[in-house]
Amino acid sequence: MKLIFILLISLPTPLILAQDLTFTATKRLIEPIVNNEVKPENTVEIKYSSVKPITGSKLKYQWTVNGTSTPGKGWELVKNTGTTSDKLKIYFNKLGNYSISLTVTAINKVKNGDETEEVETEYVGEAEEFITVRSVFPELAALYAQKPKPNFVKLVEKASEYVVKPKYSNDPTPNLFLAKGYLGIIKSQNPDPRFESAMEECVSSFNAARELDKNGVMFDNEHQAFLTELETYIYSENIKDNVDADPKNQAEEFETFIEYLDYYSQISYAPISSTFLQAYIKFIKKDVKGANLIWTTETAKFKKYTNLDEETTYGKKFKDELGNLVILSPTDLQVLKFGVMKSASIMKTRDGNAFKACELLELFEPLLIDDRGFAQFYNTEFNSCSKKKD
């Protein structure tokens, strides 16, 4: 029986099925060769490491790519290399995701009475969709970068053509450009009735790209910048100004807030950012049990988060309760802030004291205290939680 290991890296992680072996590669995202011209940037070297010591007087290796050791189905061996050495050096001529497997056979000589026998021990590892071979789509990139202003309608039309082509069915990039086109149409307030559902289409396209992304296309700087733009638009235009809407007297604004919080929860790479506002909505809608469940489970999860004390261009790094890397963007923190504040206010009113509310506030205080709005709320309305039971 194969055991299941999850390889934790700073990219969306493929499923690693391994009994004994795990893999590293010089790169996991790569472009195919053009005109049969093999360059260093188009090659990948894959190495293995063993979960337990491999001992043997002789070691034999057998690599496979997408289930075969015979080149020609989208991949080729680098000159003077093979599939029976301790490393695999390959390049690709076809787009898609490629799985890797390796069997290491250790051959030991064991004495059995007067005879010497060879005993073979196999060590096996498999990494599904370990390498992504993708296109950069220069036509779509040029449309998106067009000056002085991109033609977003044309971008949507062209990206839609790529999305439905079988050749690109597993490539996230056309869906990303489709999402970019839809957001541009939204922000330019295009009145064309064809784009009435542009926001829904934008989020749907973005999520299609994320689902297809196995090795970090989404973490290219250009696509990360778009995620920031999309998060900022949804938050600034539709959540921030409606988060205090009265459900009775401002029903339309309150429903807009709910709708766009749902959009935000779908695109954010940090799910915890929106969960406390979701609990607030459930409580307002009289689903007290649902709200309490979220507060209980999400606070328990965050207590297991590890702050890595690292910041990227796009946010703060954490490890979540499962050990996976999470980056909380500045917009994630704003959404989280409102959720924690709304939840704390409800808890204080619900309980008749600030004990539970302060437990929540103190949990997130190190992360949010530099925000002026949170600091004022925490220090003024809760007196820095110095008297929890008052």
Side-chain angles (χ1 to χ4, degrees), residues 256-283:
T256 297
F257 161 61
I258 293 174
E259 179 184 8
Y260 278 83
L261 181 66
D262 180 58
Y263 287 142
Y264 193 90
S265 69
Q266 292 182 54
I267 65 162
S268 174
Y269 274 78
I272 200 168
S273 61
S274 59
T275 52
F276 290 94
L277 275 178
Q278 290 167 351
Y280 160 71
I281 291 169
K282 284 184 177 293
F283 192 90

Side-chain angles (χ1 to χ4, degrees), residues 318-347:
F318 292 82
K319 279 191 177 179
D320 68 11
E321 76 281 3
L322 300 175
N324 297 317
L325 181 73
V326 174
I327 297 178
L328 279 163
S329 70
T331 311
D332 286 329
L333 292 177
Q334 289 299 306
V335 175
L336 177 64
K337 173 193 74 173
F338 277 119
V340 170
M341 290 165 56
K342 290 287 187 183
S343 297
S345 295
I346 286 174
M347 290 176 179

Side-chain angles (χ1 to χ4, degrees), residues 31-32 95 134-141 171 173 177 220 222:
E31 294 175 32
L95 304 174
R134 50 80 175 266
S135 172
V136 294
F137 297 91
E139 180 184 20
L140 299 180
D171 195 318
T173 311
F177 278 108
D220 282 356
E222 60 175 305

Side-chain angles (χ1 to χ4, degrees), residues 197-211:
S197 302
M199 191 72 245
E200 184 178 344
E201 295 291 345
C202 176
V203 171
S204 176
S205 299
F206 183 86
N207 283 329
R210 181 154 69 172
E211 185 176 340

Side-chain angles (χ1 to χ4, degrees), residues 166-198:
K167 180 179 179 180
Y168 303 113
S169 60
N170 292 316
D171 195 318
T173 311
N175 282 285
L176 274 173
F177 278 108
L178 187 55
K180 291 175 181 182
Y182 276 122
L183 183 60
I185 286 171
I186 294 165
K187 294 176 76 171
S188 64
Q189 299 182 328
N190 189 314
D192 192 322
R194 290 181 297 165
F195 305 118
E196 277 184 337
S197 302

Side-chain angles (χ1 to χ4, degrees), residues 118-328:
E118 287 190 345
V119 177
E120 295 186 355
T121 305
E122 284 192 349
Y123 301 82
V124 180
E126 181 180 357
E128 290 186 352
E129 300 180 320
F130 189 67
I131 302 292
T132 291
V133 183
R134 50 80 175 266
S135 172
V136 294
F137 297 91
E139 180 184 20
L140 299 180
L143 282 171
Y144 187 58
Q146 189 176 8
K147 302 295 183 183
K149 182 180 179 181
N151 185 331
F152 291 112
V153 173
K154 189 172 183 179
L155 177 58
V156 165
E157 292 171 347
K158 285 294 181 181
S160 297
E161 292 176 9
Y162 280 103
V163 165
V164 298
K165 290 181 179 180
K167 180 179 179 180
Y168 303 113
S169 60
N170 292 316
D171 195 318
T173 311
N175 282 285
L176 274 173
F177 278 108
L178 187 55
K180 291 175 181 182
Y182 276 122
L183 183 60
I185 286 171
I186 294 165
K187 294 176 76 171
S188 64
Q189 299 182 328
N190 189 314
D192 192 322
R194 290 181 297 165
F195 305 118
E196 277 184 337
S197 302
M199 191 72 245
E200 184 178 344
E201 295 291 345
C202 176
V203 171
S204 176
S205 299
F206 183 86
N207 283 329
R210 181 154 69 172
E211 185 176 340
L212 291 170
D213 185 21
K214 306 300 180 182
N215 288 300
V217 170
M218 308 288 279
F219 289 85
D220 282 356
N221 283 338
E222 60 175 305
H223 300 321
Q224 275 285 289
F226 171 67
L227 173 58
T228 299
E229 181 186 2
L230 181 56
E231 284 183 343
T232 301
Y233 175 81
I234 292 175
Y235 167 74
S236 298
E237 299 294 325
N238 298 283
I239 294 177
K240 180 181 177 183
D241 292 340
N242 294 310
V243 68
D244 293 321
D246 185 304
K248 293 182 180 179
N249 300 319
Q250 297 172 298
E252 184 177 344
E253 290 85 349
F254 187 69
E255 289 303 317
T256 297
F257 161 61
I258 293 174
E259 179 184 8
Y260 278 83
L261 181 66
D262 180 58
Y263 287 142
Y264 193 90
S265 69
Q266 292 182 54
I267 65 162
S268 174
Y269 274 78
I272 200 168
S273 61
S274 59
T275 52
F276 290 94
L277 275 178
Q278 290 167 351
Y280 160 71
I281 291 169
K282 284 184 177 293
F283 192 90
I284 292 297
K285 290 195 165 189
K286 310 300 182 185
D287 182 5
V288 176
K289 184 177 180 180
N292 288 337
L293 179 62
I294 292 176
W295 286 324
T296 300
T297 56
E298 295 303 313
T299 52
K301 285 180 184 179
F302 192 75
K303 286 177 182 178
K304 297 179 181 178
Y305 271 45
T306 302
N307 189 340
L308 300 180
D309 292 320
E310 293 181 50
E311 289 203 35
T312 71
T313 307
Y314 303 103
K316 298 176 182 288
K317 285 186 176 182
F318 292 82
K319 279 191 177 179
D320 68 11
E321 76 281 3
L322 300 175
N324 297 317
L325 181 73
V326 174
I327 297 178
L328 279 163

